[in-house]
Amino acid sequence: MDQTDLPLTTRAPAKVNLTLRVAGRRPDGYHELDSLTAFTAGEGDGVADGLSLLPGASLSLTVTGDTAVEAGPDDDNLVLRAARALQQLCPGLQTGRFTLEKRLPVAAGLGGGSSDAAAALRLLARLNGLAADDARLREAAAATGADVPVCLAARARVMAGLGEVLGPQLTLPALPALLVNPRVAVSTPAVFRALAASPLQAGSPPAMLTPDVATEAGLRRYLLAGWNDLEAPARSLCPEISEALELVQRMSGCWLARMSGSGATVFGLFDDQAQAEVAAGRIHATWPAWWARPVMLA
Ligand code: C5P
C-alpha cells in the first residue's frame, strides 16, 4: 500500500463521442457502435468528477458535489459496482471508503458514471499494486458497463462493438471545445427506441481513420466527415438539443457542433481556446440554467 499518498485521488474526465456510428442492431436488441471517443484533459478539478479512496476494511461510497442529487442512490452507484466486480476477480482485494465529488451532469452523454467506475478501478489498482494493463481490470470494467472499458485509460481511441472492442490509444491534436448541456436528462433506451424510427446515415461508409488524424488538418477532415447517428432520434425526443446545437454552431470560431453519446450534451469545436471561453460566457448569459464549460479534448 502507498502510505505516502493517502487518500488516493484521481479525476474522472468526461467522455465525448466525437463521432458515433450505429453499425448494426444485434438479435438481442443492443446496437453495435463505432465511435471516436475523446476525454476532457487537464489537471485539478477541470471538467471532471473527482474520486478519492481512503483504504479501509470495508467498501463504501459517499457522493458529494454539484450534481450528486442527480446521481441516484449511493449503493447502486457504478463506483461500487466496479469495485465489487474487481473484488470478485481478485479475492482479498483491499478496498476502503470512496468519496465521489460529482460535477458532471448525469444521464448527459458524457459517460460520467462510467468514468467514475473506471476511476474506481484505477484507484483500486494503485492500492493493490495491479498493473494498469492487468486483464482483471478490463474484465471488471466490461462487467460494469459498456462505456467503462474506454474510460479505463481515458485516452482518445475508437471504441466498437458494445464498447468492449477498443482501438489503439491515439495521440490527437488537442481540440479546444465547448460542452453545453441544456439540463434535460435523456434516457438512453428511449433514444435507441427512437432510432428504430429514424434512418441511419449508414448508406455512407464511415471515413477511414488514418494516421492523418494525428495532424490538425487531418483530424478536422475526419471529424467533419463524421456524424452521430443518435443525434436525430435524441433531437426528436428533446428539442432543447436542437436549440443547443444551433446556438453553439452560431458562436464565433465554431467549426463543428455535434451531440455526444445519446445526449443531451452537445459539443462545439473551436479554432482556439479563447473563442470557446467567450462562447461559454455568452451561453451562460443567454441560458443561465444551462451547463456550459470550455474544455480541451484529447
Ligand atoms: O448501456 P446502458 O445501460 O446505458 O444502455 C441502456 C439501453 O440502451 C440498453 O438497455 C439498450 O436498450 C440500449 N443500448 C443499445 N445499444 C447499446 C447501448 C445501449 O441498444 N450499444
Side-chain angles (χ1 to χ4, degrees), residues 29-33 145-147 161-162 188-190 192-193:
Y30 271 81
H31 295 78
E32 304 261 351
L33 307 178
D147 279 343
L162 299 187
T188 301
F192 277 101
R193 277 196 302 275

Side-chain angles (χ1 to χ4, degrees), residues 34-262:
D34 183 337
S35 172
L36 175 58
T37 307
F39 292 86
T40 50
E43 298 298 319
D45 288 359
V47 176
D49 292 339
L51 188 68
S52 70
L53 170 60
L54 191 63
S58 62
L59 175 63
S60 68
L61 171 69
T62 306
V63 186
T64 62
D66 294 350
T67 58
V69 283
E70 298 168 35
D74 293 359
D75 58 359
D76 194 35
N77 193 287
L78 288 185
V79 166
L80 290 182
R81 281 203 246 163
R84 290 187 194 120
L86 191 62
Q87 268 182 320
Q88 295 242 307
L89 295 165
C90 305
L93 185 84
Q94 169 150 33
T95 62
R97 203 164 82 214
F98 282 104
T99 303
L100 174 61
E101 172 85 17
K102 195 81 203 144
R103 303 183 198 104
L104 298 173
V106 172
L110 293 176
S114 301
S115 192
D116 299 341
L121 294 173
R122 289 198 299 274
L123 291 183
L124 289 169
R126 257 159 71 188
L127 180 61
N128 289 275
L130 304 181
D133 62 354
D134 191 305
R136 291 169 296 183
L137 293 174
R138 288 200 301 279
E139 200 180 324
T144 305
D147 279 343
V148 184
V150 76
C151 292
L152 253 190
R155 290 284 308 274
R157 66 208 305 178
V158 170
M159 65 177 237
L162 299 187
E164 77 288 4
V165 181
L166 297 180
Q169 291 183 15
L170 302 167
T171 302
L172 301 181
L175 292 164
L178 169 68
L179 303 182
V180 177
N181 183 282
R183 307 305 279 146
V184 181
V186 173
S187 148
T188 301
V191 172
F192 277 101
R193 277 196 302 275
L195 175 73
S198 63
L200 296 179
Q201 297 240 15
S204 30
M208 289 291 288
L209 193 68
T210 63
D212 204 28
V213 293
T215 68
E216 234 167 81
L219 181 58
R220 274 196 193 210
R221 262 196 304 279
Y222 180 81
L223 295 179
L224 286 167
W227 62 85
N228 179 346
D229 271 322
L230 300 180
E231 197 174 286
R235 287 170 74 158
S236 74
L237 296 174
C238 176
E240 289 87 349
I241 295 172
S242 299
E243 284 178 49
L245 281 167
E246 281 154 25
L247 195 60
V248 170
Q249 185 77 75
R250 283 205 306 270
M251 295 289 155
S252 168
C254 177
W255 56 271
L256 183 147
R258 184 169 290 157
M259 190 183 81
S260 178
S262 57

